[in-house]
Amino acid sequence: MDQAIKQKDFDIVELVNDAIEKHGNTRDAVVPILSEINHKLGYIPSSALPEIRRHIHVPQEGVFLADSHLYSAASFYHLYSLKPLGRHIIRFCESAPCHVVGGREVIQAIQDELGLQPGETSDDKNWSLVMTSCIGICSVGPVFLVDDDVYGNVTPERVSEILAKYQ
Amino acid sequence: MKIIRSMVLVSVDEASLEHGAEKVFHAFLEEIEEFGLSDQIAVSTIRDVGVHEDVPVVIVYPDAAVYAPVRVEDVHTIVEEHLVKGNIVPSMLTMMRGLTPEVAWTRERRGALPVQKRIVLERAGIVNPASIEDYILYDGFQGLGKALTQMKPSEVIAEVEKSGLQGRGGAGFPTGRKWSFVSSTPGDIKYVICNADESEPGTFKDRLIIEGDPFSIIEAMTIAGYAVGAHEGYIYIRGEYPVAYRRIEHAIHQAEEHGMLGNNIFDSGFSFHIHPHAGAGAYICGEETALIESLEGKRGMPRARPPYPTTYGLFGKPTLVNNVETLANIPAIIRNGGVWYREVGSPKSTGTKVYTIMGNVNFTGVIEVPMGITLREVIDIYGKGMKNGKKLKLVQTGGSSGTIVPANLQDTPMDFDSFRNAGVSLGSGALLICNEDTCVVDLAKVILRFFRNECCGKCTPCRIGTLRLYEIMSDISEGKGSISDIDEMLKISEAMSEVSNCGLGQTAPTALLDVLKYFREEVEAHITDHVCPVGVCPITAHVPELLPVP
């Protein structure tokens, strides 16, 4: 995630304009635009939705789009968040292949280490713990991601060593 | 002009990265620079070589020596001995079980493991996926050239029909027939969609195909576009696969630059454009109509069918939706002919199948084998047996929506027909191998939790059904179940299978039903005796005396 943008005040108009320029203003650009904003800010602020709608809603071309359509899409996909998350996001795979090779013990170790339940963000805004479905690296399960870094073959003993890298 | 006399390939799949592949890659660059050989030796990367132990793998051409596992501290020796002095270092050659040092060399590779037969993954792990030259060198775009210059669209479809290829996304619909449906639907605008939204837990074959050989998908989609009369294609890649997305984006760009994609391909007058599109995390988007809705910028919720996408698909136009693995078979089929393809596999299920092996075996990863081998063979030959000598309890085939096969059925041949007769689904090719330490209640609970999370919520039987099944199974695992729960689960499952709108709801109870069919006693033990026979479930009811009294 782009820390520079996250830390200073962001200009949502500019962000949306950039995304529209890159992906176009057609309906099939909705998901790429939302993805880009989510990626840059770590979440999709509600103020972005009317801004996106302004560009894509073109009645004279037969394209009708309401803020609610965008909210509907933004709230549907798992990779999006509608509220700010922590500085580092742990995405833990809770699917069966990781579960049967020891995922159960690893998630417990993560929860113990951070004092977080799945779905929570720490008070110091350093960590968010997100449960996710399979991320397609099942041959090295149990697997989790910290931001964009992949950790496979994780054991409960390795958890604190991995998390320490991000302190 | 630089004359490259040798090439070093470093595997950079996730397993390799986990074991320091990136450092190894940079160490090679530095060492080669140190010896002043940068002009003569290229260092590049390959994606998955199909095995996930003893990694990273380093292949040195032209000798095709395979070194594994390579650590940063080994790099100096390899560079000095092999690349400077020209001596292969025998002590560092791979001791990887089954993967012979010749693997990368043989043009007619039979695969990294015994009796593997590679069509789909023929080039994956051998070529540099970022290089169109590599792809062309390995027969790339020959199929497209043949189709565009020597065949009519109807002949291309006939060839695919002749091959007997069935869709590899899970449902197994005959590919040629689907193509002819789209082709015979009138309309000027049609679309080809490559479904790369692979989210089935335990399935990562499409990821390996795209990351290892992205050009094959581009070639196949263009052939498909020509055959059905489409000029636009979309590759819908799940959001969790950023590497695959970048690979495809790069491949499209290179193919356009080389005139293999875009306007007037090979001067044939045929034009085709491909747009990569990343999803945003939703299992349901693998369902073709949900995928189309998502592409149109909406929630990925399945449409009622009919009309099928073949007549009313993306933006209301006729649309061909094919899975990655299905498409990856196409170039070879066009190149070599449908009859050639039929000779592989079993008579009714032709060709090969890519399986992903995971769970409690010694050897996890991906294999491509002819249709018709058995689970026992998969476990013994490719899985190298059960881990720690434990006993096999069950295998879940086809991902979370797939069936559970108990150990006593492991000799059933794995092809569409034999599996269907045995009530087993081949699905996406995921094989989750579970040992005796696996509790079926716990396993079913995890699988049902997945469906509860991933249900799109559009239709009631699935929305309520997945939630209720999960709640009941959760209660049972905590020792709070009652014996009538089993009947209730059976009733809910039946309703879901029969009236859910799409495949998600219809197959969500599959694993549960198999658990009740083969392991009912174990479930009942949780309910009536308040005991988890394997000792996995958090049952507290049978040990209250051990808990401190507050």
Side-chain angles (χ1 to χ4, degrees), chain B residues 292-334:
Chain B
I292 288 169
E293 288 280 298
S294 176
L295 252 181
E296 293 179 359
K298 305 172 206 161
R299 287 188 157 211
M301 288 179 160
R303 296 172 178 173
R305 301 188 299 177
Y308 291 91
T310 49
T311 52
Y312 187 92
L314 184 62
F315 305 121
K317 307 293 182 200
T319 303
L320 174 73
V321 187
N322 276 150
N323 169 260
V324 170
E325 188 187 345
T326 316
L327 285 169
N329 278 294
I330 296 294
I333 289 174
I334 299 301

Short mmCIF file of all heavy atoms in Angstrom, two decimals, chain B residues 292-334:
data_model
loop_
_atom_site.label_atom_id
_atom_site.label_comp_id
_atom_site.label_asym_id
_atom_site.label_seq_id
_atom_site.Cartn_x
_atom_site.Cartn_y
_atom_site.Cartn_z
N ILE B 292 -19.84 -12.66 -15.17
CA ILE B 292 -20.27 -11.68 -16.16
C ILE B 292 -20.84 -10.44 -15.47
O ILE B 292 -20.52 -9.31 -15.82
CB ILE B 292 -21.29 -12.32 -17.13
CG1 ILE B 292 -20.55 -13.30 -18.05
CG2 ILE B 292 -22.02 -11.26 -17.94
CD1 ILE B 292 -21.45 -14.18 -18.88
N GLU B 293 -21.67 -10.65 -14.45
CA GLU B 293 -22.22 -9.53 -13.70
C GLU B 293 -21.09 -8.69 -13.10
O GLU B 293 -21.12 -7.47 -13.11
CB GLU B 293 -23.12 -10.04 -12.56
CG GLU B 293 -24.44 -10.62 -13.03
CD GLU B 293 -25.48 -9.54 -13.34
OE1 GLU B 293 -25.84 -8.79 -12.42
OE2 GLU B 293 -25.90 -9.42 -14.50
N SER B 294 -20.11 -9.38 -12.55
CA SER B 294 -18.98 -8.69 -11.92
C SER B 294 -18.20 -7.88 -12.97
O SER B 294 -17.79 -6.75 -12.71
CB SER B 294 -18.08 -9.71 -11.23
OG SER B 294 -16.95 -9.08 -10.70
N LEU B 295 -18.03 -8.47 -14.14
CA LEU B 295 -17.34 -7.76 -15.22
C LEU B 295 -18.10 -6.50 -15.61
O LEU B 295 -17.51 -5.50 -16.01
CB LEU B 295 -17.26 -8.67 -16.45
CG LEU B 295 -15.91 -9.25 -16.84
CD1 LEU B 295 -16.05 -10.09 -18.10
CD2 LEU B 295 -14.89 -8.17 -17.07
N GLU B 296 -19.42 -6.55 -15.47
CA GLU B 296 -20.23 -5.39 -15.81
C GLU B 296 -20.26 -4.38 -14.67
O GLU B 296 -21.03 -3.43 -14.70
CB GLU B 296 -21.65 -5.84 -16.16
CG GLU B 296 -21.71 -6.65 -17.45
CD GLU B 296 -23.12 -7.11 -17.79
OE1 GLU B 296 -24.06 -6.82 -17.02
OE2 GLU B 296 -23.28 -7.79 -18.82
N GLY B 297 -19.45 -4.61 -13.65
CA GLY B 297 -19.31 -3.63 -12.58
C GLY B 297 -20.32 -3.75 -11.45
O GLY B 297 -20.55 -2.82 -10.71
N LYS B 298 -20.95 -4.92 -11.35
CA LYS B 298 -21.97 -5.08 -10.31
C LYS B 298 -21.51 -6.10 -9.27
O LYS B 298 -20.42 -6.64 -9.36
CB LYS B 298 -23.27 -5.58 -10.94
CG LYS B 298 -23.78 -4.70 -12.07
CD LYS B 298 -24.96 -5.37 -12.75
CE LYS B 298 -25.06 -4.89 -14.19
NZ LYS B 298 -25.86 -5.79 -15.01
N ARG B 299 -22.38 -6.33 -8.28
CA ARG B 299 -22.15 -7.45 -7.38
C ARG B 299 -22.10 -8.73 -8.21
O ARG B 299 -22.89 -8.89 -9.13
CB ARG B 299 -23.32 -7.59 -6.41
CG ARG B 299 -23.37 -6.55 -5.37
CD ARG B 299 -24.43 -6.87 -4.35
NE ARG B 299 -24.06 -6.15 -3.13
CZ ARG B 299 -24.33 -6.56 -1.90
NH1 ARG B 299 -25.02 -7.65 -1.70
NH2 ARG B 299 -23.92 -5.87 -0.87
N GLY B 300 -21.20 -9.62 -7.86
CA GLY B 300 -21.11 -10.87 -8.62
C GLY B 300 -22.17 -11.86 -8.18
O GLY B 300 -21.89 -12.80 -7.45
N MET B 301 -23.38 -11.64 -8.63
CA MET B 301 -24.47 -12.57 -8.28
C MET B 301 -24.93 -13.29 -9.53
O MET B 301 -25.14 -12.67 -10.58
CB MET B 301 -25.64 -11.81 -7.67
CG MET B 301 -25.34 -11.30 -6.26
SD MET B 301 -26.76 -10.40 -5.66
CE MET B 301 -26.47 -10.44 -3.90
N PRO B 302 -25.12 -14.62 -9.43
CA PRO B 302 -25.48 -15.38 -10.63
C PRO B 302 -26.82 -14.95 -11.20
O PRO B 302 -27.73 -14.56 -10.47
CB PRO B 302 -25.59 -16.81 -10.11
CG PRO B 302 -24.93 -16.82 -8.79
CD PRO B 302 -25.04 -15.45 -8.24
N ARG B 303 -26.92 -15.02 -12.51
CA ARG B 303 -28.20 -14.76 -13.17
C ARG B 303 -28.99 -16.05 -13.23
O ARG B 303 -28.43 -17.14 -13.16
CB ARG B 303 -27.95 -14.30 -14.60
CG ARG B 303 -27.20 -12.99 -14.72
CD ARG B 303 -26.85 -12.75 -16.20
NE ARG B 303 -26.17 -11.46 -16.36
CZ ARG B 303 -25.64 -11.05 -17.51
NH1 ARG B 303 -25.69 -11.84 -18.58
NH2 ARG B 303 -25.04 -9.89 -17.58
N ALA B 304 -30.29 -15.88 -13.41
CA ALA B 304 -31.12 -17.06 -13.65
C ALA B 304 -30.79 -17.59 -15.04
O ALA B 304 -30.53 -16.81 -15.95
CB ALA B 304 -32.60 -16.68 -13.56
N ARG B 305 -30.74 -18.90 -15.18
CA ARG B 305 -30.45 -19.48 -16.50
C ARG B 305 -31.54 -20.47 -16.85
O ARG B 305 -31.95 -21.23 -15.95
CB ARG B 305 -29.10 -20.19 -16.48
CG ARG B 305 -27.96 -19.26 -16.13
CD ARG B 305 -26.63 -19.92 -16.31
NE ARG B 305 -26.45 -21.08 -15.47
CZ ARG B 305 -25.38 -21.85 -15.51
NH1 ARG B 305 -24.40 -21.59 -16.34
NH2 ARG B 305 -25.27 -22.89 -14.71
N PRO B 306 -32.00 -20.61 -18.08
CA PRO B 306 -31.62 -19.81 -19.24
C PRO B 306 -32.13 -18.37 -19.14
O PRO B 306 -32.97 -18.13 -18.28
CB PRO B 306 -32.27 -20.56 -20.41
CG PRO B 306 -33.42 -21.28 -19.80
CD PRO B 306 -33.03 -21.59 -18.39
N PRO B 307 -31.69 -17.47 -20.01
CA PRO B 307 -30.78 -17.70 -21.12
C PRO B 307 -29.34 -17.97 -20.66
O PRO B 307 -28.89 -17.38 -19.67
CB PRO B 307 -30.85 -16.40 -21.91
CG PRO B 307 -31.17 -15.35 -20.87
CD PRO B 307 -32.07 -16.06 -19.89
N TYR B 308 -28.64 -18.81 -21.37
CA TYR B 308 -27.26 -19.12 -21.07
C TYR B 308 -26.34 -18.07 -21.68
O TYR B 308 -26.73 -17.40 -22.65
CB TYR B 308 -26.90 -20.52 -21.60
CG TYR B 308 -27.61 -21.60 -20.83
CD1 TYR B 308 -28.85 -22.07 -21.23
CD2 TYR B 308 -27.05 -22.12 -19.66
CE1 TYR B 308 -29.52 -23.04 -20.49
CE2 TYR B 308 -27.72 -23.08 -18.93
CZ TYR B 308 -28.95 -23.54 -19.34
OH TYR B 308 -29.60 -24.48 -18.60
N PRO B 309 -25.14 -17.93 -21.12
CA PRO B 309 -24.22 -16.93 -21.68
C PRO B 309 -23.94 -17.14 -23.16
O PRO B 309 -23.62 -16.19 -23.86
CB PRO B 309 -22.94 -17.14 -20.87
CG PRO B 309 -23.39 -17.75 -19.59
CD PRO B 309 -24.57 -18.60 -19.95
N THR B 310 -24.08 -18.37 -23.63
CA THR B 310 -23.80 -18.61 -25.05
C THR B 310 -24.75 -17.81 -25.95
O THR B 310 -24.42 -17.53 -27.10
CB THR B 310 -23.94 -20.11 -25.39
OG1 THR B 310 -25.18 -20.58 -24.87
CG2 THR B 310 -22.80 -20.91 -24.81
N THR B 311 -25.94 -17.46 -25.42
CA THR B 311 -26.83 -16.61 -26.21
C THR B 311 -26.95 -15.21 -25.62
O THR B 311 -27.06 -14.24 -26.35
CB THR B 311 -28.24 -17.23 -26.32
OG1 THR B 311 -28.69 -17.53 -24.99
CG2 THR B 311 -28.24 -18.46 -27.17
N TYR B 312 -26.93 -15.09 -24.29
CA TYR B 312 -27.08 -13.79 -23.64
C TYR B 312 -26.04 -13.69 -22.53
O TYR B 312 -26.26 -14.13 -21.41
CB TYR B 312 -28.51 -13.64 -23.08
CG TYR B 312 -28.81 -12.26 -22.55
CD1 TYR B 312 -29.39 -11.28 -23.35
CD2 TYR B 312 -28.52 -11.94 -21.22
CE1 TYR B 312 -29.66 -10.01 -22.85
CE2 TYR B 312 -28.79 -10.67 -20.71
CZ TYR B 312 -29.36 -9.71 -21.53
OH TYR B 312 -29.62 -8.46 -21.04
N GLY B 313 -24.89 -13.14 -22.87
CA GLY B 313 -23.80 -13.12 -21.89
C GLY B 313 -23.38 -11.72 -21.51
O GLY B 313 -24.22 -10.91 -21.08
N LEU B 314 -22.10 -11.42 -21.71
CA LEU B 314 -21.57 -10.11 -21.33
C LEU B 314 -22.25 -9.00 -22.13
O LEU B 314 -22.33 -9.07 -23.35
CB LEU B 314 -20.05 -10.10 -21.58
CG LEU B 314 -19.28 -8.85 -21.15
CD1 LEU B 314 -19.38 -8.62 -19.66
CD2 LEU B 314 -17.82 -8.95 -21.58
N PHE B 315 -22.73 -7.98 -21.44
CA PHE B 315 -23.48 -6.87 -22.05
C PHE B 315 -24.60 -7.38 -22.96
O PHE B 315 -24.93 -6.78 -23.97
CB PHE B 315 -22.54 -5.93 -22.84
CG PHE B 315 -21.38 -5.41 -22.02
CD1 PHE B 315 -20.06 -5.65 -22.40
CD2 PHE B 315 -21.61 -4.68 -20.86
CE1 PHE B 315 -19.00 -5.18 -21.65
CE2 PHE B 315 -20.54 -4.19 -20.10
CZ PHE B 315 -19.25 -4.45 -20.49
N GLY B 316 -25.12 -8.53 -22.61
CA GLY B 316 -26.25 -9.08 -23.37
C GLY B 316 -25.89 -9.76 -24.68
O GLY B 316 -26.77 -10.14 -25.45
N LYS B 317 -24.59 -9.90 -24.94
CA LYS B 317 -24.16 -10.49 -26.22
C LYS B 317 -23.77 -11.96 -26.02
O LYS B 317 -23.39 -12.37 -24.92
CB LYS B 317 -22.96 -9.72 -26.77
CG LYS B 317 -23.17 -8.22 -26.87
CD LYS B 317 -24.21 -7.88 -27.92
CE LYS B 317 -24.37 -6.37 -28.04
NZ LYS B 317 -25.64 -6.00 -28.66
N PRO B 318 -23.79 -12.73 -27.12
CA PRO B 318 -23.35 -14.14 -27.02
C PRO B 318 -21.91 -14.21 -26.50
O PRO B 318 -21.05 -13.50 -27.00
CB PRO B 318 -23.43 -14.64 -28.46
CG PRO B 318 -24.34 -13.70 -29.16
CD PRO B 318 -24.22 -12.38 -28.48
N THR B 319 -21.68 -15.05 -25.52
CA THR B 319 -20.38 -15.06 -24.85
C THR B 319 -19.92 -16.48 -24.60
O THR B 319 -20.68 -17.32 -24.12
CB THR B 319 -20.47 -14.31 -23.50
OG1 THR B 319 -20.94 -12.99 -23.75
CG2 THR B 319 -19.13 -14.24 -22.81
N LEU B 320 -18.67 -16.72 -24.94
CA LEU B 320 -18.06 -18.03 -24.66
C LEU B 320 -17.25 -17.90 -23.37
O LEU B 320 -16.36 -17.05 -23.29
CB LEU B 320 -17.14 -18.43 -25.82
CG LEU B 320 -16.32 -19.70 -25.61
CD1 LEU B 320 -17.21 -20.93 -25.70
CD2 LEU B 320 -15.20 -19.80 -26.63
N VAL B 321 -17.57 -18.70 -22.37
CA VAL B 321 -16.79 -18.68 -21.13
C VAL B 321 -16.09 -20.02 -20.97
O VAL B 321 -16.75 -21.06 -20.91
CB VAL B 321 -17.68 -18.42 -19.89
CG1 VAL B 321 -16.82 -18.23 -18.65
CG2 VAL B 321 -18.56 -17.20 -20.09
N ASN B 322 -14.77 -20.00 -20.94
CA ASN B 322 -13.98 -21.23 -20.76
C ASN B 322 -12.99 -21.06 -19.64
O ASN B 322 -12.44 -19.99 -19.42
CB ASN B 322 -13.21 -21.57 -22.05
CG ASN B 322 -14.03 -22.33 -23.07
OD1 ASN B 322 -13.81 -22.22 -24.27
ND2 ASN B 322 -15.00 -23.11 -22.63
N ASN B 323 -12.74 -22.16 -18.94
CA ASN B 323 -11.75 -22.17 -17.87
C ASN B 323 -10.33 -22.13 -18.44
O ASN B 323 -10.09 -22.51 -19.59
CB ASN B 323 -11.97 -23.45 -17.04
CG ASN B 323 -10.84 -23.71 -16.07
OD1 ASN B 323 -9.97 -24.51 -16.32
ND2 ASN B 323 -10.86 -23.01 -14.95
N VAL B 324 -9.40 -21.70 -17.62
CA VAL B 324 -7.99 -21.58 -18.02
C VAL B 324 -7.44 -22.92 -18.53
O VAL B 324 -6.84 -22.99 -19.60
CB VAL B 324 -7.13 -21.10 -16.82
CG1 VAL B 324 -5.65 -21.21 -17.14
CG2 VAL B 324 -7.50 -19.69 -16.45
N GLU B 325 -7.65 -23.97 -17.75
CA GLU B 325 -7.06 -25.27 -18.15
C GLU B 325 -7.68 -25.78 -19.45
O GLU B 325 -6.99 -26.35 -20.30
CB GLU B 325 -7.26 -26.31 -17.03
CG GLU B 325 -6.50 -27.61 -17.29
CD GLU B 325 -6.82 -28.71 -16.29
OE1 GLU B 325 -7.40 -28.42 -15.23
OE2 GLU B 325 -6.47 -29.86 -16.58
N THR B 326 -8.99 -25.56 -19.61
CA THR B 326 -9.64 -25.95 -20.86
C THR B 326 -8.94 -25.26 -22.03
O THR B 326 -8.56 -25.90 -23.01
CB THR B 326 -11.12 -25.51 -20.84
OG1 THR B 326 -11.69 -25.83 -19.58
CG2 THR B 326 -11.90 -26.18 -21.95
N LEU B 327 -8.79 -23.94 -21.91
CA LEU B 327 -8.18 -23.18 -23.00
C LEU B 327 -6.74 -23.62 -23.25
O LEU B 327 -6.29 -23.69 -24.39
CB LEU B 327 -8.22 -21.68 -22.67
CG LEU B 327 -9.60 -21.03 -22.82
CD1 LEU B 327 -9.60 -19.63 -22.22
CD2 LEU B 327 -10.04 -20.96 -24.28
N ALA B 328 -6.02 -23.93 -22.16
CA ALA B 328 -4.60 -24.28 -22.32
C ALA B 328 -4.42 -25.54 -23.16
O ALA B 328 -3.35 -25.80 -23.69
CB ALA B 328 -3.95 -24.44 -20.95
N ASN B 329 -5.48 -26.36 -23.27
CA ASN B 329 -5.40 -27.55 -24.12
C ASN B 329 -5.53 -27.23 -25.61
O ASN B 329 -5.13 -28.01 -26.46
CB ASN B 329 -6.54 -28.52 -23.76
CG ASN B 329 -6.21 -29.39 -22.56
OD1 ASN B 329 -5.31 -30.21 -22.61
ND2 ASN B 329 -6.92 -29.19 -21.46
N ILE B 330 -6.15 -26.08 -25.90
CA ILE B 330 -6.55 -25.79 -27.29
C ILE B 330 -5.38 -25.69 -28.28
O ILE B 330 -5.42 -26.33 -29.33
CB ILE B 330 -7.41 -24.50 -27.33
CG1 ILE B 330 -8.71 -24.72 -26.56
CG2 ILE B 330 -7.68 -24.05 -28.76
CD1 ILE B 330 -9.65 -25.73 -27.17
N PRO B 331 -4.31 -24.91 -27.96
CA PRO B 331 -3.25 -24.80 -28.97
C PRO B 331 -2.70 -26.15 -29.41
O PRO B 331 -2.52 -26.39 -30.61
CB PRO B 331 -2.18 -23.96 -28.27
CG PRO B 331 -2.94 -23.15 -27.29
CD PRO B 331 -4.04 -24.04 -26.80
N ALA B 332 -2.50 -27.06 -28.46
CA ALA B 332 -1.96 -28.38 -28.81
C ALA B 332 -2.95 -29.17 -29.64
O ALA B 332 -2.57 -29.92 -30.56
CB ALA B 332 -1.58 -29.15 -27.55
N ILE B 333 -4.24 -29.02 -29.34
CA ILE B 333 -5.26 -29.75 -30.11
C ILE B 333 -5.28 -29.27 -31.55
O ILE B 333 -5.32 -30.08 -32.49
CB ILE B 333 -6.66 -29.57 -29.46
CG1 ILE B 333 -6.73 -30.34 -28.14
CG2 ILE B 333 -7.77 -30.03 -30.41
CD1 ILE B 333 -8.00 -30.14 -27.35
N ILE B 334 -5.21 -27.95 -31.75
CA ILE B 334 -5.24 -27.43 -33.13
C ILE B 334 -3.94 -27.82 -33.85
O ILE B 334 -3.94 -28.20 -35.01
CB ILE B 334 -5.44 -25.90 -33.12
CG1 ILE B 334 -6.77 -25.55 -32.46
CG2 ILE B 334 -5.37 -25.34 -34.54
CD1 ILE B 334 -7.99 -26.15 -33.11
#
